[in-house]
Amino acid sequence: MSRIGRKPVSIPANVKVSLSGQKVSVTGPKGTLSVNVHPDVKVQYVEAEKSVKFDIDPSRMDDRFARALWGANRALVQNAVNGVVSGYEKVMQVVGTGWTAQVSGKNLKLVCGLANPILMPIPEGVTVVVDKSAGDVTPVKVSGIDRQAVGQFAASMRQKRKPEPYNGKGIKYATEVIKKKQGKQFGA
């Protein structure tokens, strides 16, 4: 049995849920998201309890793939509900002397020690805000209602210039801790 899959997703008072086949649409104060549930997972909205319940065919309880889909689809709908209520945010840091980030139109421009600046197109539904730099650190806030889109943009931003362990320069998550390595020792 899936421990996550059998829990119902409770729906807050200011959120509306509509089902059409295997598509779950969630509308809240911040916007609308829709999740396509896998055909092996049965989904139903219980109006009396204000919750969405998930189930799989009892004959497939021994199938690991079916149980994994059960929990994964429940988590996707829970993330959609949380997204339309409060949204998601990732804070990134551009660390390095002279390294900057700025939003220009629908692109994020990263200047991070390369010959040319890197332009990253900002996807729909994701907002990027660059705060004033404090010394060598430029904080960048990536936010939106879709957890996957926010996380993917933050990860692709980090991928452009990963933090290195000797000087600590690079693009990293604000909560990430870079273990510094000792450089070469010169003998005396």
Side-chain angles (χ1 to χ4, degrees):
M1 218 78 204
S2 172
R3 291 185 197 154
I4 295 173
R6 66 182 150 170
K7 292 181 187 174
V9 176
S10 60
I11 307 299
N14 56 353
V15 175
K16 293 179 184 166
V17 173
S18 63
L19 288 171
S20 61
Q22 291 295 99
K23 185 175 183 179
V24 179
S25 295
V26 183
T27 305
K30 293 209 175 227
T32 302
L33 287 174
S34 61
V35 177
N36 291 322
V37 178
H38 195 275
D40 289 348
V41 180
K42 298 174 196 154
V43 60
Q44 66 179 13
Y45 178 61
V46 182
E47 184 68 41
E49 299 176 13
K50 294 283 282 178
S51 64
V52 179
K53 292 188 177 183
F54 298 88
D55 201 10
I56 58 172
D57 189 25
S59 64
R60 303 229 20 218
M61 284 293 181
D62 293 334
D63 186 7
R64 288 180 65 142
F65 182 69
R67 288 196 320 264
L69 287 174
W70 187 14
N73 284 290
R74 187 250 180 225
L76 291 173
V77 172
Q78 179 69 56
N79 290 342
V81 170
N82 291 345
V84 298
V85 171
S86 58
Y88 291 100
E89 181 179 84
K90 296 260 185 196
V91 180
M92 307 295 288
Q93 292 179 340
V94 179
V95 181
T97 305
W99 292 22
T100 61
Q102 71 181 42
V103 177
S104 59
K106 294 191 176 199
N107 292 319
L108 175 67
K109 181 180 175 184
L110 297 171
V111 177
C112 50
L114 300 173
N116 297 316
I118 300 170
L119 287 176
M120 293 182 63
I122 300 171
E124 280 294 318
V126 175
T127 58
V128 177
V129 177
V130 179
D131 294 337
K132 277 193 165 182
S133 60
D136 291 346
V137 179
T138 305
V140 179
K141 290 182 184 171
V142 180
S143 60
I145 62 172
D146 187 2
R147 183 176 184 177
Q148 194 274 333
V150 170
Q152 181 63 47
F153 185 77
S156 63
M157 187 178 157
R158 183 183 186 274
Q159 193 70 31
K160 299 296 180 193
R161 197 70 189 234
K162 289 184 181 178
E164 52 97 10
Y166 294 103
N167 295 324
K169 296 192 317 187
I171 300 172
K172 67 181 193 88
Y173 297 105
T175 57
E176 186 177 7
V177 176
I178 306 299
K179 288 178 82 174
K180 292 256 187 138
K181 289 184 179 178
Q182 186 174 352
K184 290 183 176 178
Q185 292 292 321
F186 294 102

